[in-house]
Amino acid sequence: MMGDDTPLDADFWDDLLTCIEERRVIPVIGAELCTVVRDGHEVPLYRVVAEALAERLRISAASLPVDFTLHHVVCSHLERRGRREDVYPKVRAILKDLAPVPSQ
């Protein structure tokens, strides 16, 4: 189990990498590792998506917390009686426009 203090051995890593290679396991990485370059600086991808989504949904950044997230934007949209189904195509379009590239 990865949450305890037991070290993971080489067999575990070999098995895990094999499962990933065979597409039986999908690795999930933290949001802090997903970044894009904006104005010459690396910024969190999710922050850029949250800002763009707020703009497309016409939600004022002033009405959101200072460090707002996608969660805040979607909740604000739903509180204004927006439909959850409106969010998905907008996020898809934002990601398509951004065309983020995995880092090397």
Side-chain angles (χ1 to χ4, degrees):
M1 193 170 188
M2 295 200 304
D4 61 17
D5 292 330
T6 305
L8 303 174
D9 63 12
D11 287 339
F12 168 84
W13 289 111
D14 288 342
D15 292 344
L16 178 61
L17 292 173
T18 298
C19 287
I20 291 170
E21 194 174 273
E22 293 172 352
R23 297 179 183 232
R24 293 188 296 152
V25 171
I26 299 171
V28 177
I29 60 172
E32 65 278 357
L33 296 177
C34 297
T35 60
V36 293
V37 177
R38 183 189 225 187
D39 300 327
H41 302 291
E42 274 195 32
V43 294
L45 170 66
Y46 293 117
R47 177 60 188 206
V48 174
V49 173
E51 291 171 356
L53 183 62
E55 186 177 312
R56 290 185 187 205
L57 293 173
R58 296 186 180 101
I59 297 172
S60 167
S63 70
L64 297 166
V66 174
D67 291 325
F68 67 89
T69 64
L70 275 172
H71 175 78
H72 293 113
V73 175
V74 173
C75 286
S76 179
H77 174 67
L78 296 175
E79 288 170 0
R80 294 179 356 181
R81 298 201 172 277
R83 295 176 338 124
R84 180 180 50 217
E85 294 80 12
D86 297 337
V87 173
Y88 299 114
K90 288 184 180 4
V91 169
R92 181 181 177 279
I94 291 165
L95 288 170
K96 186 176 178 187
D97 290 347
L98 284 173
V101 178
S103 61
Q104 300 294 328

